[in-house]
Amino acid sequence: MKPLLGTIYLLGMLVPWGLGYDRSRAQHSQEAVDKTVTPSRSLETYSYDRYHPMEEIYQWMSQISKQYTEVVTQNFLGMTYEARPMYYLKISLPSNNPKKIIWMDCGIHSREWIAPAFCQWFVKEVLQNYKDNSKIRRFLMNLDFYVLPVLNIDGYIYSWTTDRLWRKSRSSHNNGTCFGTDLNRNFNASWCSIGASKNCTDLTFCGTGPVSEPETKAVSSFIESKKEDIVCYLTMHSYGQLILLPYGYTKNKTSNYEELIQVGQKAANALKAKHGTNYKVGSSTDILYASSGSSRDWARDIGIPFSYTFELRDNGTHGFLLPEAQIQATCEETMAAVLSVLDDVYEKHWYSNSAVKMTSSTMVLSLLMCFMCFL
Ligand SMILES: *[C@@H]1O[C@H](CO)[C@@H](O)[C@H](O)[C@H]1NC(C)=O
Ligand SMILES: *[C@@H]1O[C@H](CO)[C@@H](O)[C@H](O)[C@H]1NC(C)=O
Ligand SMILES: *[C@@H]1O[C@H](CO)[C@@H](O)[C@H](O)[C@H]1NC(C)=O
Ligand SMILES: *[C@@H]1O[C@H](CO)[C@@H](O)[C@H](O)[C@H]1NC(C)=O
Ligand SMILES: *[C@@H]1O[C@H](CO)[C@@H](O)[C@H](O)[C@H]1NC(C)=O
Ligand SMILES: [Zn+2]
């Protein structure tokens, strides 16, 4: 790192956003530096309304965990087929309460670029607002957010370099004659029974067995190891404007179907209130199609009560090629929907039974303590 760049970076770390920090001047110097050195963008100028190649997302993860060391850690999850590291971000405030976990992953299908864009937006929103926004603060007293910004990293890179509409991973099959497993058909939920293919040339190739792929394995083993604490599993896709609940592999309804529909419908209403976008809510079999081996169904099957797939914008006009001009509005409305889900999960978990009364007083105490930590 050149000294000048180092200084700008340090400045960025020391001066909180929006407090008289001369952004345009920093940007100017940054551009000058970028002409001679490999581009190393500062977090201050990171555009959340653009799509970013994987290299920039890696850099973003590392920068955000350095800038917000007290709340974010970057953690190793596993390696992809092509031997790239997968990291998730853990957003967590110190608290004496036993915490529950919200999991969110994005980009299991590589061509759905709006999904990783949303994961980054979500992290940014939480970090920029947790000190002042009482709702986000309240969540963070009892919940940790685990965010995997790009699940299918090999596929995502391939969609940038070679084939914009690539969906699957990049594992090699049939002696190197065909590539890629649909990672969202590879989870251990009625694997390859319906809406999936055993032919590796197909878009919905389910892999050579349940959890045959390293990416699926990394996510499954981690979630399995934390499943007692995970209260909500969210997986972000595009497109179709749908909030999908289990199941895709059967017409049977999950035991808390009514509750999932209500929470989902409320989220769709919150979403619509933002920019008027219409979403449908229902099980995958009912409103989309049958599919086996999805992460959402698997998460519900191992006992995670709230499990949803979000199919973000649009409704077919641009499909997977959602213009960058729509990233901001899409992320704003999706944020409203996700916060609505979290509201309900939070209420149901902490205020629907008697075990809770005890936690309330501890909560007030730790709230006080934490104000002191972060002043
Ligand atoms: C796999 O491909 C290699 C090189 O193309 C070939 O030599 C080999 O015979 C193939 N193996 C099988 C089992 O088809
Ligand atoms: C899949 O789940 C079943 C139980 O439903 C279990 O018996 C089996 O070992 C699991 N397979 C893998 C590969 O995890
Ligand atoms: C897989 O699908 C391709 C393309 O449709 C077809 O040519 C091939 O015969 C299929 N392979 C098998 C084993 O069915
Ligand atoms: C659906 O429910 C029926 C009746 O409870 C049960 O026999 C069947 O195994 C279920 N199917 C699946 C795929 O879970
Ligand atoms: C998407 O468009 C189709 C066809 O125009 C329409 O039937 C469907 O209701 C729309 N979905 C939503 C969520 O607006
Ligand atoms: Zn998808």
Side-chain angles (χ1 to χ4, degrees), residues 304-332:
I304 297 174
F306 294 91
S307 182
Y308 292 102
T309 306
F310 275 70
E311 295 285 356
L312 304 184
R313 286 195 198 183
D314 57 12
N315 192 10
T317 310
H318 302 284
F320 302 114
L321 309 178
L322 188 73
E324 285 187 328
Q326 288 194 42
I327 295 177
Q328 180 172 344
T330 304
C331 288
E332 285 169 354

Coordinates of all heavy atoms in Angstrom, one line a residue, residues 304-332:
I304 N -35.3 -25.6 11.3 CA -35.3 -24.1 11.4 C -36.7 -23.6 11.1 O -37.2 -23.9 10.0 CB -34.2 -23.6 10.4 CG1 -32.9 -24.1 10.9 CG2 -34.3 -22.0 10.4 CD1 -31.7 -23.7 9.9
P305 N -37.3 -22.9 12.1 CA -38.8 -22.7 11.9 C -39.1 -21.7 10.7 O -40.1 -22.0 10.0 CB -39.2 -22.0 13.2 CG -37.9 -21.6 13.9 CD -36.8 -22.5 13.4
F306 N -38.3 -20.7 10.5 CA -38.7 -19.7 9.5 C -37.7 -19.9 8.3 O -36.5 -19.6 8.5 CB -38.6 -18.3 10.0 CG -39.7 -18.0 11.0 CD1 -39.5 -18.2 12.3 CD2 -41.0 -17.6 10.5 CE1 -40.5 -18.0 13.3 CE2 -42.0 -17.4 11.5 CZ -41.8 -17.6 12.8
S307 N -38.2 -20.4 7.2 CA -37.3 -20.6 6.1 C -37.9 -20.1 4.8 O -39.0 -20.5 4.4 CB -37.0 -22.1 6.0 OG -36.1 -22.3 4.9
Y308 N -37.2 -19.1 4.1 CA -37.8 -18.5 3.0 C -36.8 -18.3 1.8 O -35.6 -18.0 2.1 CB -38.3 -17.0 3.3 CG -39.5 -16.9 4.2 CD1 -39.3 -16.6 5.5 CD2 -40.8 -17.1 3.7 CE1 -40.4 -16.5 6.4 CE2 -41.9 -17.0 4.6 CZ -41.7 -16.7 5.9 OH -42.8 -16.6 6.7
T309 N -37.3 -18.5 0.6 CA -36.6 -18.0 -0.6 C -37.2 -16.7 -1.1 O -38.4 -16.7 -1.2 CB -36.7 -19.1 -1.7 OG1 -36.4 -20.4 -1.3 CG2 -35.9 -18.7 -2.9
F310 N -36.3 -15.7 -1.3 CA -36.8 -14.5 -1.9 C -36.4 -14.6 -3.4 O -35.3 -14.8 -3.7 CB -36.2 -13.3 -1.3 CG -36.9 -12.8 0.0 CD1 -36.8 -13.5 1.1 CD2 -37.5 -11.6 -0.1 CE1 -37.5 -13.0 2.3 CE2 -38.2 -11.1 1.1 CZ -38.1 -11.8 2.3
E311 N -37.4 -14.4 -4.3 CA -37.1 -14.2 -5.7 C -37.3 -12.7 -5.9 O -38.4 -12.2 -5.9 CB -38.1 -15.0 -6.6 CG -37.9 -16.5 -6.4 CD -36.7 -17.1 -7.1 OE1 -36.0 -16.3 -7.8 OE2 -36.5 -18.3 -7.0
L312 N -36.2 -12.0 -6.1 CA -36.3 -10.5 -6.2 C -36.7 -10.1 -7.6 O -37.1 -10.9 -8.4 CB -34.9 -9.9 -5.9 CG -34.3 -10.3 -4.5 CD1 -33.0 -9.6 -4.2 CD2 -35.3 -10.0 -3.4
R313 N -36.7 -8.8 -7.9 CA -37.1 -8.2 -9.2 C -36.3 -8.9 -10.3 O -35.2 -9.3 -10.1 CB -36.8 -6.7 -9.2 CG -37.7 -5.9 -8.4 CD -37.5 -4.4 -8.9 NE -38.1 -3.5 -7.9 CZ -38.1 -2.2 -8.1 NH1 -37.5 -1.7 -9.2 NH2 -38.6 -1.4 -7.2
D314 N -36.9 -8.9 -11.5 CA -38.2 -8.3 -11.8 C -39.2 -9.3 -12.1 O -39.0 -10.5 -11.6 CB -38.1 -7.2 -12.9 CG -37.6 -7.8 -14.2 OD1 -37.5 -9.0 -14.3 OD2 -37.2 -7.0 -15.1
N315 N -40.2 -9.0 -12.9 CA -41.2 -10.0 -13.2 C -41.1 -10.4 -14.7 O -42.1 -10.7 -15.3 CB -42.6 -9.4 -12.9 CG -43.6 -10.5 -12.9 OD1 -43.3 -11.7 -13.0 ND2 -44.9 -10.0 -12.9
G316 N -39.8 -10.4 -15.2 CA -39.6 -10.9 -16.5 C -39.2 -9.9 -17.6 O -38.7 -10.3 -18.7
T317 N -39.3 -8.6 -17.3 CA -38.9 -7.7 -18.3 C -37.4 -7.7 -18.6 O -37.1 -7.9 -19.8 CB -39.3 -6.2 -17.8 OG1 -40.6 -6.2 -17.4 CG2 -39.1 -5.2 -18.9
H318 N -36.6 -7.7 -17.6 CA -35.2 -7.9 -17.8 C -34.7 -9.2 -17.3 O -33.6 -9.6 -17.6 CB -34.4 -6.7 -17.1 CG -34.8 -5.4 -17.5 ND1 -34.4 -4.8 -18.7 CD2 -35.6 -4.4 -17.0 CE1 -34.9 -3.6 -18.9 NE2 -35.7 -3.3 -17.8
G319 N -35.5 -9.8 -16.5 CA -35.1 -11.1 -15.9 C -33.8 -11.1 -15.1 O -33.7 -10.3 -14.2
F320 N -32.9 -12.0 -15.4 CA -31.6 -12.0 -14.7 C -30.8 -10.7 -14.9 O -29.9 -10.4 -14.1 CB -30.8 -13.2 -15.0 CG -31.5 -14.5 -14.8 CD1 -31.9 -15.3 -15.9 CD2 -31.9 -14.9 -13.5 CE1 -32.6 -16.5 -15.6 CE2 -32.6 -16.0 -13.3 CZ -33.0 -16.9 -14.3
L321 N -31.1 -10.0 -16.0 CA -30.2 -8.9 -16.4 C -30.8 -7.6 -15.8 O -31.0 -6.6 -16.5 CB -30.1 -8.8 -17.9 CG -29.6 -10.1 -18.6 CD1 -29.5 -9.9 -20.1 CD2 -28.3 -10.5 -18.0
L322 N -31.2 -7.6 -14.6 CA -31.8 -6.4 -14.0 C -30.8 -5.2 -14.0 O -29.7 -5.3 -13.6 CB -32.1 -6.7 -12.5 CG -33.0 -5.7 -11.8 CD1 -34.4 -5.7 -12.3 CD2 -32.9 -5.9 -10.3
P323 N -31.3 -4.1 -14.6 CA -30.4 -3.0 -14.8 C -29.9 -2.4 -13.4 O -30.6 -2.4 -12.5 CB -31.2 -1.9 -15.5 CG -32.4 -2.7 -16.1 CD -32.6 -3.9 -15.2
E324 N -28.7 -1.9 -13.5 CA -28.1 -1.4 -12.2 C -29.0 -0.2 -11.7 O -29.1 0.0 -10.5 CB -26.7 -0.8 -12.5 CG -25.7 -2.0 -12.6 CD -24.2 -1.5 -12.7 OE1 -24.0 -0.4 -13.2 OE2 -23.3 -2.2 -12.2
A325 N -29.7 0.5 -12.6 CA -30.5 1.6 -12.1 C -31.7 1.1 -11.2 O -32.2 1.9 -10.5 CB -31.2 2.2 -13.4
Q326 N -31.9 -0.2 -11.2 CA -33.0 -0.7 -10.3 C -32.4 -1.3 -9.0 O -33.2 -1.8 -8.1 CB -33.8 -1.8 -11.0 CG -34.7 -1.2 -12.1 CD -35.8 -2.2 -12.5 OE1 -36.4 -2.9 -11.7 NE2 -36.0 -2.3 -13.8
I327 N -31.1 -1.3 -8.8 CA -30.5 -2.0 -7.6 C -31.0 -1.3 -6.3 O -31.5 -1.9 -5.4 CB -29.0 -2.0 -7.7 CG1 -28.5 -2.9 -8.8 CG2 -28.4 -2.5 -6.4 CD1 -27.0 -2.9 -9.0
Q328 N -30.9 0.0 -6.3 CA -31.2 0.7 -5.1 C -32.7 0.5 -4.7 O -32.9 0.1 -3.5 CB -31.0 2.2 -5.2 CG -31.3 3.0 -4.0 CD -30.9 4.4 -4.0 OE1 -30.1 4.8 -4.8 NE2 -31.4 5.2 -3.1
A329 N -33.6 0.7 -5.6 CA -35.0 0.5 -5.2 C -35.3 -0.9 -4.8 O -36.0 -1.2 -3.9 CB -35.9 0.9 -6.4
T330 N -34.7 -1.9 -5.6 CA -34.9 -3.3 -5.2 C -34.4 -3.6 -3.8 O -35.0 -4.3 -3.0 CB -34.1 -4.2 -6.2 OG1 -34.6 -3.9 -7.6 CG2 -34.4 -5.7 -6.0
C331 N -33.2 -3.0 -3.5 CA -32.6 -3.3 -2.2 C -33.4 -2.6 -1.1 O -33.6 -3.2 0.0 CB -31.2 -2.9 -2.2 SG -30.1 -4.0 -3.1
E332 N -33.9 -1.4 -1.4 CA -34.7 -0.7 -0.3 C -36.0 -1.5 0.0 O -36.3 -1.7 1.2 CB -35.1 0.7 -0.9 CG -33.9 1.7 -0.8 CD -34.2 3.0 -1.6 OE1 -35.3 3.1 -2.2 OE2 -33.4 3.9 -1.5

